[in-house]
Structure formats: C-alpha cells, structure tokens
Amino acid sequence: MGKLIKEYSRATDWVYLALCVGCSVLSVLTLISIGTYNLGGFDTDMGSITGLGGYRGALVQAIASLLGVVCAILLSCIDYRAMVDAWPFHVAGAWGLVALTFLKVNLGPVSLGYAPGSTDNYSWIRVGSLSLQPTELAKISFILTFAMHLDMVKNEINEPKTLAKLLAHMAVPVLLVHIQGDDGTAIVFACIGCMMMFVAGLSWRYIAGAVCAGITALAVAVGFFPDKVFKNYQYQRIMALFHMDDPAYADITLQQNKGLISIGAGRIFGRGLFNEYHNYVPKAENDFIFSYIAESIGFVGCVLVLGALFAIAIKTLTTGLRSQDKLGTYICTGVFAAMAWQVIINLGMNLAVLPVIGVTLPFFSGGGTSALMMYLCVGLVLSVYMHNKKSLFDH
C-alpha cells in the first residue's frame, strides 16, 4: 500500500488537487458562518439541540467534498480512454436519472422531478431529506461523449454534414435541460459544447455567422414574442436588471440588491467570517455565496478566491495542452468550459450584470451534487495528467 501511495504521489498533480481542496475548505467555513449568523445555528427546543439546523449545509458540503476527493483520486487512476469507451454505461446512468425527473411524481419519501425554489425548474430528485440534481452528473457524461465525437471526426469538423451532427449532439442535452426549466444549466451545456468545438478547429466563419444569426434571432424574438422566448419570471428577472431601484421590481431585485450591499460592506479586508454581524442575503449559502465571502474577507479575500479559481482553470487547460492525443485535450477543454462559464455567470449574478439563473460558483456554493460533480471533473483532468502528457514545448 505504501508503495502505491508513493507511486501515485509522484504521478499526480498535487498542486491542482490542493487548490481544489483549499477552495472546499473555505466553502465549508463560509457555510458554517452562514449557518451561525444567517440561518440561526442549531435547531433547539427548550435549550436542547434537536437538529443540525443551519449547519446542515456545511455538513453536507464537507461530506460531499471529502467523498469527491476520494472519487477524484480513484477516477484519476483509470485511463480516460477507458472512461470514453464506457460511454453506453455513463450515458444510460446519468441521462436515465435525468429522464426520471420528467415524471414529476411523489412516491412516499421519493420525489422525482421537483422544483426546490419558486421557479419551474423541475430538475431534482429527492430521497427523504437528501436531494440530487442529475444534470450535474450529466455534464460529465456529455464532456466525455462530445470529446469522443470530436475525436472521431478529426479534421472534418467544418464539413456541413459533420458539423450538423455535432450541433445535434449538443442540442439534445441543451433542449432536455431547457424543457426541465433549468436554463442556467442549459446555457452551461451550450458553452461547454461551443468551446470544445472551437478548440477542435471550428472555422471562424461559422462562429461569426452563428453569433450574428443568434443575436438577430434573439432580438427579433424578444421584440415581437417575448412571452414565447422566456417564461414570465425569466423575463421579469432580465427586465429587473434595468430597473434595480424601481419599487415595481422590488421583490425580484431584492436578492441582488442585498448581495451588492453585502459585497460593498466587505471593503478591503472584510468583517471576518465569524463576526457577529453580517448583512442578510437570501440564499447566501447557494448562488450568492460570493457576496457573503466578499463581506467576510473583503476585496483582498475575493482576489485570493478568484485567483485560486483562475489557477485551477489555467492548470486544467495546460493539462489538456500537454496531452499527446486530441481526446485528452477535448476532455480538459470541456472541464475548463464548465468551470469558467459557471464562475463568469455566477459572478455576473452577484454583481447584478446578469439575471439570476441558478448557476453555482464551483467548489464554493453549497450543494452536495455540485461539489461532487466538480471533483469528478477534477478526476477526469488528473486522469489525462497521469496517463498521457507531454511537455508544453514538445511538437
């Protein structure tokens, strides 16, 4: 056993893993703080502790992150080519769970396809007090299958028939997730697919044409048929960005306005994670955890957090560049896209430059499924790092 540990230690990228674990540690500490000051601490009755109360999220995050690290290490020991070849199994497993959410039924303690908030996002499965969002796991399956597809077509990506098949491959998960009502995740799927095709050599003329056509079509659709493009609450959230101080949008802008106040209150060094006073931000433990971190550790702390996420993203890309085959490059690109776009969208939500669409901040936002998914992605990257790499300067 000791020999295996030493061999693994020499083969893996410990700096990459340490950066991820460091983010998770800060996430758990932040969730403990939120549990103490925003969610009231333990559940008590007559002075006796009766439940975890506000600390439940921190415990779930800690367990999911620890399990994720173990899964990442185990996954990294498997050749990524074998994971790609096993596509029928992970496609059936991940998308089979997604399919169950379309049933929207309650079977005793089990709920298939329920919306945890006030939206029409029925993408969750609940078993007792535990919940799972299968689309998070489906991201990993999509990255593997789309990487396989791109590797198969090789230099034919700009052939119309080949490109049409790739777009169909990408459109299926995007549309399925959209139908569920989780447009935030649907956008992330689309970003993953587009970035992977770009790295695979998609022609600039297709990219420019698609951007122009997309902007034109969206502008026409929103201008003439807004109720057909967005659901009412989605349209209201977009419009609220232009009326942040309008009382008519007060209920919609409350979360983002509170988040902005919290970010500003942190100033340079923050108030401290365990300061007794924190501004209340709705759902600070999930999508708006960045605003709570900003208030707690200030601008300096935010720079360190974003620096860590940037370093993780860059190391993901460099691992892909070192891969001796395109398959490894495409997998790392897909993971990079998932991380980077989630960070961009989540920060946009917190800074009120994008509407609230339920996209989490990688490694930080509370949620066992999200944390586990990120570490499974880490496992994929480490697998590429360990099983097929070369120097950046090799040709």
Side-chain angles (χ1 to χ4, degrees):
M1 180 62 71
K3 183 179 179 181
L4 289 176
I5 294 174
K6 288 182 180 179
E7 290 180 355
Y8 184 85
S9 298
R10 288 195 296 267
T12 196
D13 187 348
W14 282 111
V15 174
Y16 184 68
L17 192 57
L19 284 168
C20 299
V21 171
C23 290
S24 293
V25 170
L26 180 55
S27 169
V28 172
L29 291 174
T30 304
L31 290 170
I32 291 173
S33 176
I34 293 172
T36 302
Y37 302 112
N38 275 21
L39 301 178
F42 289 112
D43 286 336
T44 58
D45 184 17
M46 299 299 289
S48 300
I49 296 175
T50 59
L52 290 171
Y55 296 120
R56 183 179 180 278
L59 180 63
V60 169
Q61 189 79 347
I63 293 173
S65 298
L66 182 60
L67 179 61
V69 171
V70 173
C71 289
I73 292 173
L74 293 176
L75 203 61
S76 68
C77 295
I78 303 173
D79 194 315
Y80 59 93
R81 301 177 193 85
M83 288 185 262
V84 169
D85 290 340
W87 69 267
F89 301 100
H90 56 75
V91 167
W95 290 103
L97 289 173
V98 172
L100 290 177
T101 64
F102 286 93
L103 298 177
K104 297 181 183 178
V105 297
N106 295 320
L107 304 171
V110 179
S111 297
L112 303 177
Y114 86 99
S118 58
T119 68
D120 295 329
N121 178 5
Y122 294 91
S123 62
W124 295 77
I125 294 175
R126 182 170 57 188
V127 181
S129 61
L130 300 177
S131 57
L132 169 72
Q133 190 175 22
T135 49
E136 291 293 325
L137 301 178
K139 287 178 188 175
I140 300 167
S141 179
F142 174 69
I143 289 171
L144 290 172
T145 56
F146 206 61
M148 177 180 67
H149 194 162
L150 288 169
D151 190 55
M152 289 172 60
V153 300
K154 298 189 183 300
N155 297 324
E156 299 176 0
I157 187 173
N158 291 304
E159 297 293 329
K161 289 184 179 180
T162 301
L163 184 57
K165 292 177 181 178
L166 286 168
L167 292 174
H169 187 161
M170 183 176 69
V172 170
V174 171
L175 291 175
L176 284 175
V177 177
H178 167 70
I179 292 171
Q180 283 184 321
D182 189 1
D183 285 329
T185 301
I187 291 172
V188 174
F189 267 100
C191 290
I192 292 171
C194 289
M195 189 163 286
M196 291 176 72
M197 286 194 293
F198 173 75
V199 170
L202 183 63
S203 171
W204 277 103
R205 70 175 185 272
Y206 285 125
I207 297 173
V211 170
C212 292
I215 293 175
T216 302
L218 183 62
V220 171
V222 171
F224 293 96
F225 313 103
D227 57 325
K228 303 296 183 183
V229 179
F230 302 108
K231 295 176 182 177
N232 182 59
Y233 76 89
Q234 294 172 326
Y235 181 72
Q236 293 298 317
R237 287 180 178 180
I238 294 173
M239 294 305 298
L241 293 174
F242 304 98
H243 304 85
M244 293 298 292
D245 298 321
D246 191 334
Y249 290 92
D251 291 341
I252 300 173
T253 60
L254 173 66
Q255 188 178 32
Q256 288 180 302
N257 279 328
K258 290 285 189 181
L260 290 173
I261 292 172
S262 186
I263 291 171
R267 299 191 177 183
I268 301 299
F269 297 105
R271 289 175 164 163
L273 273 174
F274 297 100
N275 185 293
E276 290 186 4
Y277 179 78
H278 283 272
N279 286 291
Y280 174 72
V281 180
K283 299 295 181 182
E285 68 276 16
N286 294 322
D287 299 344
F288 277 72
I289 197 168
F290 180 80
S291 65
Y292 194 92
I293 290 173
E295 182 175 3
S296 300
I297 57 180
F299 175 78
V300 173
C302 287
V303 170
L304 292 176
V305 166
L306 295 179
L309 290 172
F310 180 77
I312 292 169
I314 292 301
K315 287 188 73 65
T316 299
L317 272 184
T318 55
T319 297
L321 292 174
R322 287 189 177 99
S323 175
Q324 291 180 336
D325 61 13
K326 293 293 185 181
L327 186 62
T329 301
Y330 299 150
I331 289 173
C332 290
T333 300
V335 173
F336 166 80
M339 292 179 177
W341 282 105
Q342 284 188 216
V343 171
I344 292 170
I345 294 172
N346 184 270
L347 290 179
M349 290 161 45
N350 278 258
L351 296 174
V353 296
L354 293 176
V356 179
I357 54 176
V359 173
T360 58
L361 185 64
F363 299 106
F364 286 96
S365 292
T369 309
S370 177
L372 182 60
M373 187 279 290
M374 291 312 306
Y375 276 105
L376 291 177
C377 285
V378 168
L380 293 182
V381 176
L382 289 177
S383 175
V384 175
Y385 181 90
M386 293 172 62
H387 293 92
N388 198 355
K389 59 186 177 181
K390 64 180 178 181
S391 169
L392 281 172
F393 302 100
D394 288 346
H395 296 284

